[in-house]
């Protein structure tokens, strides 16, 4: 069996089902994988048993806590070298015990975020790679130590994976080499027959036509554009499926009546929500953070046979055959025009099939075998 992989994830397994989960499930098809997730302040259920895939939770500074005071204290603690060193010692001890108890010999470290890269010095000689899936230096307040960790991760990695043209340029500037360009994909079989699934009960009460968004509703979400668009076309229902950042709750209260916030839904339920909607949207702000994004949701929408209207926030969106609009008037007009056009969901599904995770991740699997 190929060498085991220890994947250091920036998100918990039970969080939004994204690239880390898809990547580790794929790699676990032919090798042992240990999914190392950050310990959050809120409790979560233990992940389901998956063959060749095991889990380990490590303590981290709670930079993403809901409470702003806790976030500020975490930022301060994370900037103090003695506390960082103490945390690394605790993490390393737990990781060493986990590797021994699971008989994971000669592993490869694959980092999904630079935050835990300091662990490398506790495991000298262990090769590592870095999956640069987002522009981590654009997420809110960034510490000097994180910038240093990012540079060290890029410089020392045996290879670096990236998801977009923007991130590839960033890696080259930082001296990363070699680079694997592996964009985001879709679990195609799960979404391709979404229209055959029963309509979710909560969706039955929402009038058609339905325009849907799935995913995080966070700082990069363009509330102003969405709300103005909804006011311009009140005959449309806008269905927002995904967790809302607590700091943005007040924005939710300002929503027009034809916007329906549904909260987070389990990943396994998403195909049914898409299968009973008429159009999908990605209303992201055009900011440095989103400029590097290759959204998983775009490929899930296409696999479900849904046309997409989005803001032109990234090169991947602008080059992906998506209808783009820069302001509310254009966005509303694009939605109406696309809904009037003859639909060819099968063409969208065929296009999305080329983005299946199995196809995209094969080069990563081969690269890990080179160690």
């Amino acid at each position: 069996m190929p060498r085991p992989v220890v994947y250091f994830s920036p998100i918990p397994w039970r969080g939004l089902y994204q690239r880390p989960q898809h990547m580790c499930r794929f790699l676990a098809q032919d090798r042992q994988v240990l999914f190392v997730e950050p310990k959050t302040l809120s409790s979560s259920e233990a992940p389901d048993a998956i063959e060749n895939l095991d889990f380990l939770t490590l303590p981290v500074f709670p930079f993403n806590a809901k409470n702003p005071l806790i976030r500020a204290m975490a930022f301060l603690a994370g900037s103090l070298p003695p506390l960082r060193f103490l945390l690394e010692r605790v993490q390393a001890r737990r990781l060493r015990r986990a590797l021994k108890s699971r008989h994971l010999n000669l592993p490869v470290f694959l980092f999904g975020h630079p935050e835990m890269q300091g662990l490398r010095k506790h495991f000298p000689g262990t090769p590592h790679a870095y999956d640069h899936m987002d522009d981590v230096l654009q997420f809110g307040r960034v510490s000097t130590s994180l910038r240093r960790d990012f540079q060290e991760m890029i410089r020392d990695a045996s290879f670096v994976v990236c998801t977009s043209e923007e991130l590839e340029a960033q890696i080259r500037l930082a001296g990363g080499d070699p680079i694997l360009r592996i964009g985001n994909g879709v679990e195609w079989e799960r979404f391709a027959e979404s229209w055959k699934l029963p309509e979710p009960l909560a969706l039955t009460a929402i009038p058609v036509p339905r325009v849907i968004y799935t995913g995080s509703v966070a700082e990069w979400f363009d509330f102003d554009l969405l709300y103005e668009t909804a006011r311009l076309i009140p005959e449309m229902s806008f269905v927002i499926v995904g967790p809302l950042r607590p700091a943005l709750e007040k924005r939710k209260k300002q929503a027009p009546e034809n916007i329906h916030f549904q909260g987070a839904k389990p990943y396994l339920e998403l195909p049914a929500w898409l299968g009973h909607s008429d159009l999908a949207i990605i209303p992201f702000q055009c900011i440095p953070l989103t400029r590097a994004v290759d959204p998983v949701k775009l490929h899930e929408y296409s696999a479900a046979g849904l046309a997409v209207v989005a803001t032109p926030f990234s090169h991947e969106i602008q080059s992906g055959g998506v209808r783009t609009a820069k302001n509310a008037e254009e966005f509303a007009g694009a939605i109406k025009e696309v809904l009037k056009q003859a639909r060819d969901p099968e063409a969208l599904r065929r296009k999305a099939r080329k983005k299946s995770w199995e196809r995209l991740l094969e080069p990563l699997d081969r690269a890990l075998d080179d160690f």
Side-chain angles (χ1 to χ4, degrees):
M1 181 175 283
R3 289 178 71 161
V5 168
V6 179
Y7 180 81
F8 297 89
S9 174
I11 59 174
W13 182 268
R14 286 290 189 180
L16 281 182
Y17 210 87
Q18 299 177 59
R19 181 182 177 93
Q21 291 93 331
H22 287 294
M23 181 177 288
C24 288
R25 290 197 72 140
F26 173 81
L27 293 175
Q29 292 180 105
D30 65 353
R31 70 178 77 231
Q32 292 294 122
V33 176
L34 178 63
F35 186 91
V36 179
E37 57 185 356
K39 173 64 178 175
T40 61
L41 295 178
S42 58
S43 60
S44 59
E45 302 176 41
D48 297 329
I50 301 171
E51 187 176 4
N52 290 337
L53 182 59
D54 211 338
F55 301 89
L56 174 68
T57 300
L58 290 184
V60 295
F61 293 116
F63 296 120
N64 298 313
K66 295 179 180 180
N67 188 308
L69 179 58
I70 294 178
R71 291 200 304 270
M73 292 173 63
F75 191 88
L76 176 61
S79 66
L80 300 176
L83 291 182
R84 284 168 53 85
F85 178 75
L86 179 61
L87 179 62
E88 283 179 8
R89 289 287 299 272
V90 173
Q91 293 172 336
R93 190 180 305 115
R94 293 190 181 183
L95 178 56
R96 193 171 287 110
R97 285 202 303 262
L99 294 176
K100 183 177 181 180
S101 66
R102 293 163 173 83
H103 307 289
L104 300 179
N105 301 315
L106 301 175
V108 177
F109 286 176
L110 178 57
F111 291 86
H113 192 279
E115 183 180 2
M116 291 190 191
Q117 78 93 23
L119 280 172
R120 294 189 296 115
K121 62 177 173 286
H122 297 273
F123 297 86
T126 301
H128 82 278
Y130 174 45
D131 182 35
H132 193 32
M133 70 186 87
D134 284 307
D135 190 349
V136 295
L137 301 183
Q138 296 293 336
F139 278 86
R141 187 182 178 190
V142 177
S143 66
T144 302
S145 59
L146 181 61
R147 294 183 184 276
R148 183 178 61 251
D149 289 345
F150 173 76
Q151 293 293 331
E152 291 181 5
M153 179 72 71
I154 296 296
R155 184 194 64 215
D156 298 339
S158 299
F159 66 87
V160 182
V161 185
C162 68
T163 58
S164 68
E165 183 179 274
E166 184 80 15
L167 294 180
E168 182 173 356
Q170 187 180 79
I171 293 167
R172 293 194 186 282
L173 187 63
D177 183 67
I179 301 170
L180 282 179
R181 176 84 171 273
I182 300 176
N184 283 323
V186 59
E187 195 176 2
W188 189 84
E189 291 79 4
R190 187 175 300 280
F191 287 85
E193 296 189 345
S194 58
W195 54 279
K196 295 181 180 180
L197 299 172
E199 184 175 13
L201 182 61
L203 192 57
T204 59
I206 299 176
V208 295
R210 298 165 182 151
V211 178
I212 192 167
Y213 168 86
T214 59
S216 291
V217 183
E219 290 77 11
W220 53 85
F221 191 87
D222 197 333
F223 283 92
D224 293 334
L225 180 142
L226 176 64
Y227 287 5
E228 184 57 30
T229 298
R231 294 186 184 98
L232 290 171
I233 42 177
E235 68 275 17
M236 306 283 181
S237 296
F238 291 82
V239 183
I240 311 301
V241 178
L244 176 68
R245 290 285 174 88
L248 300 173
E249 279 288 344
K250 60 182 180 181
R251 297 304 311 268
K252 176 182 174 181
K253 298 175 182 178
Q254 302 163 357
E257 291 184 359
N258 57 330
I259 293 182
H260 306 267
F261 286 92
Q262 299 299 300
K265 302 295 178 185
Y267 170 70
L268 297 182
E269 295 180 13
L270 290 185
W273 284 83
L274 297 180
H276 294 277
S277 297
D278 301 285
L279 181 85
I281 57 171
I282 311 179
F284 285 177
Q285 298 179 49
C286 297
I287 55 178
L289 171 61
T290 59
R291 192 167 58 224
V293 170
D294 175 25
V296 173
K297 62 177 62 61
L298 171 62
H299 312 303
E300 293 174 345
Y301 293 162
S302 296
L306 288 179
V308 181
V309 175
T311 52
F313 56 87
S314 73
H315 173 78
E316 276 60 35
I317 285 292
Q318 296 179 53
S319 62
V322 176
R323 180 67 181 269
T324 59
K326 296 180 180 179
N327 54 51
E329 290 76 16
E330 291 182 7
F331 216 85
I335 288 173
K336 290 193 290 186
E337 288 178 21
V338 172
L339 286 175
K340 286 179 182 178
Q341 295 170 356
R343 304 182 195 182
D344 190 355
E346 287 307 314
L348 291 170
R349 293 188 181 102
R350 287 194 298 270
K351 179 182 177 182
R353 191 163 199 168
K354 298 177 182 178
K355 290 283 190 176
S356 69
W357 286 113
E358 289 77 8
R359 291 189 182 189
L360 295 177
L361 291 172
E362 284 180 0
L364 173 63
D365 207 25
R366 291 195 298 269
L368 291 169
D369 284 339
D370 290 339
F371 289 114

